[in-house]
Amino acid sequence: MRILVVEDDAILLDGLRVGLELAGLTIDAVSTCADAAVALSTSAFDAVVLDRMLPDGSGLDVLRRVRRSGDRTPIILLTALNETANRIEGLDAGGDDYLGKPFDLEELAARLRSIARRGAGRASATMEWRDLVVDPAARLVLLRGDRVDVSRREFAILTALMERPGTIRSRADLEERLYGWDGEVESNAVEVHIHHLRAKLGRRTIETVRGLGYRIGGER
Amino acid sequence: MRSSLRSRLFSALLLATGAVWLTAALWIDLGARAEVEQVLDNRLQDAAHMVGSLISSGRLPTDGLNRNPAALLPDAGPYMHQLSCQIWSFDDRLLARSGGAPETRFANGGTGFSEQEINGEMWRVYALEDPANGFRVLVGDRLSLREGLVTDLIKGLLWPAVVILPALGAILWVSVGRGLAPLRRIAGDLSRRDGEDMSQIEAASVPREIRPLTTALNGLFAKVEAARRHEREITAFAAHELRTPLAGLKTQAQIALMSEDRDVRGNALRQILRSVDRTGRLVSQLLALARLDSAPPARKEDVEIGAALDEAVEFSRMAGPDVAVEIGSDLRGVIARVPREALDLVLRNLTENAFAHTPPGGTIRWRRGAAETTIELWDEGPGVPETDLPFLTRRFFRGAALSTPGSGLGLTIAEAAAAQCGASLTLANGPRGGLIASVVFEDESSLEVAT
């Protein structure tokens, strides 16, 4: 899952980036309202962590602008303003969830997974397609009930494809999900990961759509 | 003695009333005594003359004892019986006397008044001599009778006082109590309040005399309320400002616990150290600000600016290890009359701010301003957008540039501390970039060159 983190405190931002990546998420980080607006208008994220007090304005303004533009990306507000009135204001401005500082890293990761899957139209914590089950919280892949070991990157690609079975994901899309903006992308990285996944899950699980990308669960 | 307004008012009023009454009584006593004396003396005289003229006209025989010449006198009320009359011949025979008259001769000597003690009683006597007919008429009355008359008069005056004074006291007591009732009501209202209630006392229902008190109290309430609101804002802001570094600390600590990777853990621990340093600094700055807000300025003393600047630079060195410092020679020997700690806060926070914004290899310069009473700090940082200048000293204002990890309190502290030094802080962009912080001492005598 690709997450945008908007936070102006350098140490906390570093912690969020490293910590959420440890939880299996791909993180892009910005620290101002302006950068957040640019990031949201140019890339697709599964969820956003948005600090309320930013140096160049309020996170709530970013939130309202995003919602006005019709963007439905799930957004969790992260804030030191932790009064009930502040939480209500944040949720009413279009926030999907609200977490007061200081927070628990694992709780934040769980809430991100939760709002991300709801954003993708799923209620279940696990993603299933035929006899394949992916559990993002436990970072677990089960094939016919047996556990399959996959790497972090392979898991990210598998998750992206499993989110909406039948939908085609382009190579660029998958690369962005894997690395965010910062990661160094090797030219054939996605192909290599797809290759490994096919070896582990069966050749026909992931289908190549020539010229467009990859998908799981295409019409046969 | 407990000072009760009611008792004091009451006793003052009662004393005054009593004194008026007593003075009146004394005055009347004196006046009445003289009057009574005069009237009774006249009566004695008249009686003597009447008896004398009766005898000389022969209508009153003087040959029988125990005749009552007084009976011939005109009726004079109850005092008549008290009048005694003796008629003596010139050869000292008692010719006649009235019923109550003693046999002892009233008086010797010629015509006129005299006083004499007879049988242990004082008598006032008028003597009338008639040498032609050879008799002497003596008319007298007892002095005790006169005393009695005056005493009756005074008693007549004092009785109503004895009856009315307690009634007057009761009226005074009650009405003074009534008059003080609003005070009791306000006191009751105030004592029922909890510590949070700083609402104003309603002035409309308060008597004019108590209004200065309620006005002063209301003023105090307003000040306390403002101070507390200010404090609450600071506390809320401080709590808020501390939450973010706490969140950073917690996150990094969780990473250190979760990660197996040595590098990741090392980095997280380093971040924790950095965050602890920064948070500690934030806390001490908050404390400095709280002290500046609450404490009155300390005693002023003579501080040599050059030496104080050396110390400030030494203290702030960590903020800009690679930045050079120039302290103008015109600042050496300049003496400021200021509270020492406040001046240190000004100089340190400005120096730290300049260090933090000046790139490595740059120079910050302390020097004397164009005006005699100004010292300035020039840095070589990027300066500040003109629109941000007015907000620089606002609490936790960091600007949108996010170029440094300051707490947003340094310039706030510098301004507050400058105010305690009797100085103001102005911030402006320099002609060739960088920020110029000017400390302008308002009082010319607070900054002078030592001679």
Side-chain angles (χ1 to χ4, degrees):
Chain A
M1 277 195 286
R2 187 178 182 204
I3 310 289
L4 176 67
V5 176
V6 190
E7 164 63 56
D8 64 326
D9 184 84
I11 292 176
L12 180 55
L13 185 60
D14 175 81
L16 285 172
R17 188 206 304 271
V18 177
L20 293 177
E21 272 174 3
L22 279 175
L25 305 170
T26 304
I27 304 300
D28 284 312
V30 294
S31 52
T32 61
C33 291
D35 291 350
V38 170
L40 281 164
S41 62
T42 53
S43 314
F45 298 95
D46 294 296
V48 179
V49 178
L50 181 60
D51 187 21
R52 254 190 84 150
M53 304 245 296
L54 293 164
D56 59 342
S58 165
L60 283 190
D61 293 337
V62 176
L63 183 55
R64 291 198 189 92
R65 229 174 8 247
V66 163
R67 292 298 182 237
R68 258 202 308 278
S69 72
D71 189 335
R72 297 177 57 192
T73 309
I75 294 179
I76 183 166
L77 284 161
L78 202 61
T79 174
L81 299 173
N82 206 11
E83 302 289 321
T84 308
N86 300 132
R87 289 200 292 267
I88 292 172
E89 192 188 7
L91 293 173
D92 281 348
D96 297 87
D97 202 353
Y98 201 100
L99 203 55
K101 292 176 186 173
F103 50 87
D104 190 279
L105 197 52
E106 290 177 25
E107 183 185 355
L108 176 62
R111 282 173 189 256
L112 280 170
R113 282 192 295 270
S114 159
I115 62 170
R117 72 170 174 262
R118 285 189 181 277
R122 294 180 292 110
S124 166
T126 57
M127 296 177 270
E128 290 173 35
W129 178 76
R130 291 190 183 165
D131 46 10
L132 182 62
V133 177
V134 174
D135 182 348
R139 283 193 53 209
L140 197 66
V141 179
L142 296 174
L143 184 64
R144 287 183 286 277
D146 295 329
R147 183 174 174 152
V148 180
D149 284 328
V150 295
S151 75
R152 201 166 74 84
R153 298 261 148 97
E154 287 161 13
F155 188 83
I157 286 184
L158 185 58
T159 313
L161 293 171
M162 286 283 281
E163 270 165 10
R164 288 200 194 95
T167 315
I168 301 166
R169 296 277 193 181
S170 72
R171 199 182 107 168
D173 188 4
L174 290 176
E175 273 173 357
E176 231 180 36
R177 293 212 136 215
L178 270 187
Y179 303 104
W181 305 313
D182 305 330
E184 228 170 89
V185 187
E186 298 139 53
S187 61
N188 61 346
V190 171
E191 280 95 332
V192 171
H193 294 312
I194 295 272
H195 178 76
H196 288 155
L197 279 172
R198 279 179 176 148
K200 290 172 183 172
L201 303 173
R203 298 207 57 78
R204 308 174 86 171
T205 315
I206 300 170
E207 182 189 349
T208 305
V209 183
R210 198 168 299 278
L212 290 177
Y214 306 92
R215 70 174 167 193
I216 284 180
E219 62 272 14
R220 301 263 152 118
Chain B
M1 192 183 96
R2 261 177 49 215
S3 95
S4 153
L5 213 54
R6 186 186 207 177
S7 306
R8 276 161 63 179
L9 265 175
F10 177 71
S11 40
L13 283 169
L14 213 57
L15 273 176
T17 318
V20 166
W21 221 295
L22 215 61
T23 316
L26 277 175
W27 188 260
I28 291 171
D29 177 63
L30 284 175
R33 213 174 278 277
E35 198 76 11
V36 164
E37 222 124 275
Q38 184 72 45
V39 167
L40 292 184
D41 278 358
N42 286 347
R43 288 174 48 77
L44 281 182
Q45 217 170 351
D46 288 349
H49 280 291
M50 191 168 292
V51 169
S53 67
L54 281 175
I55 292 170
S56 23
S57 68
R59 275 191 278 166
L60 183 73
T62 57
D63 52 348
L65 284 173
N66 295 327
R67 286 283 190 86
N68 190 358
L72 300 166
L73 300 176
D75 185 25
Y79 304 115
M80 203 57 227
H81 315 294
Q82 312 291 342
L83 266 186
S84 296
C85 185
Q86 290 174 336
I87 305 167
W88 293 80
S89 63
F90 269 57
D91 53 3
D92 283 343
R93 278 185 304 115
L94 180 62
L95 297 177
R97 68 181 173 100
S98 62
E103 289 182 22
T104 316
R105 184 176 170 145
F106 273 149
N108 300 309
T111 301
F113 287 99
S114 63
E115 283 175 18
Q116 181 144 357
E117 187 177 341
I118 296 166
N119 298 338
E121 276 189 297
M122 286 301 287
W123 287 75
R124 183 143 174 100
V125 178
Y126 182 73
L128 177 71
E129 286 185 343
D130 189 346
N133 295 305
F135 65 89
R136 185 182 275 135
V137 179
L138 301 175
V139 182
D141 59 7
R142 294 181 187 84
L143 279 183
S144 59
L145 165 80
R146 301 183 166 210
E147 286 298 330
L149 268 175
V150 174
T151 311
D152 281 353
L153 207 68
I154 299 300
K155 269 186 190 160
L157 196 70
L158 283 180
W159 267 117
V162 170
V163 176
I164 291 173
L165 263 182
L168 188 71
I171 293 172
L172 282 175
W173 182 258
V174 170
S175 53
V176 167
R178 283 250 180 95
L180 293 174
L183 212 55
R184 263 200 308 281
R185 185 174 51 74
I186 291 172
D189 286 353
L190 287 181
S191 62
R192 271 192 299 279
R193 285 185 180 202
D194 58 15
E196 296 299 308
D197 188 358
M198 289 289 151
S199 60
Q200 303 273 296
I201 300 170
E202 226 179 293
S205 60
V206 171
R208 214 172 36 244
E209 287 76 11
I210 305 179
R211 212 159 287 171
L213 182 69
T214 55
T215 310
L217 270 176
N218 281 341
L220 179 66
F221 284 156
K223 267 185 258 175
V224 170
E225 180 61 19
R228 280 186 4 175
R229 198 179 319 116
H230 181 70
E231 223 161 83
R232 268 201 299 274
E233 280 167 16
I234 298 286
T235 315
F237 232 101
H240 170 251
E241 284 298 317
L242 284 170
R243 280 211 178 107
T244 298
L246 281 178
L249 275 172
K250 182 165 179 176
T251 310
Q252 297 286 358
Q254 284 187 310
I255 291 169
L257 284 175
M258 269 160 41
S259 177
E260 310 276 304
D261 190 321
R262 258 183 82 93
D263 288 347
V264 172
R265 269 162 57 178
N267 183 57
L269 290 172
R270 271 191 299 280
Q271 296 280 30
I272 288 173
L273 283 183
R274 260 182 71 203
S275 182
V276 167
D277 284 345
R278 269 174 51 189
T279 313
R281 200 179 124 65
L282 175 60
V283 168
S284 56
Q285 282 198 309
L286 280 169
L287 284 176
L289 197 58
R291 266 200 300 276
L292 281 173
D293 275 347
S294 60
R299 201 175 48 79
K300 290 185 176 184
E301 52 189 298
D302 287 340
V303 184
E304 206 265 304
I305 293 275
L309 279 173
D310 289 337
E311 274 180 42
V313 169
E314 184 67 36
F315 183 87
S316 324
R317 195 71 251 186
M318 282 300 291
D322 302 320
V323 176
V325 181
E326 276 179 20
I327 296 175
S329 56
D330 49 358
L331 283 170
R332 301 286 169 194
V334 175
I335 304 289
R337 272 203 69 72
V338 289
R340 172 82 212 218
E341 274 185 46
L343 182 74
D344 284 344
L345 281 177
V346 176
L347 301 182
R348 281 177 193 173
N349 279 286
L350 289 180
T351 307
E352 239 166 72
N353 185 65
F355 272 147
H357 289 90
T358 301
T363 307
I364 68 167
R365 295 178 175 83
W366 273 105
R367 59 192 216 184
R368 199 137 189 201
E372 275 296 289
T373 55
T374 304
I375 58 174
E376 291 176 348
L377 172 61
W378 295 52
D379 68 33
E380 290 181 353
V384 174
E386 288 294 327
T387 48
D388 280 355
L389 278 176
F391 307 112
L392 284 183
T393 55
R394 198 183 273 182
R395 290 192 165 85
F396 302 114
F397 182 86
R398 294 192 189 85
L402 202 81
S403 51
T404 52
S407 66
L409 283 177
L411 291 177
T412 315
I413 293 173
E415 188 181 51
Q420 292 214 341
C421 294
S424 61
L425 174 68
T426 53
L427 300 162
N429 282 310
R432 292 178 305 279
L435 192 72
I436 306 172
S438 313
V439 183
V440 186
F441 289 86
E442 264 126 38
D443 187 0
E444 292 201 5
S445 64
S446 59
L447 197 67
E448 57 194 26
V449 183
T451 46

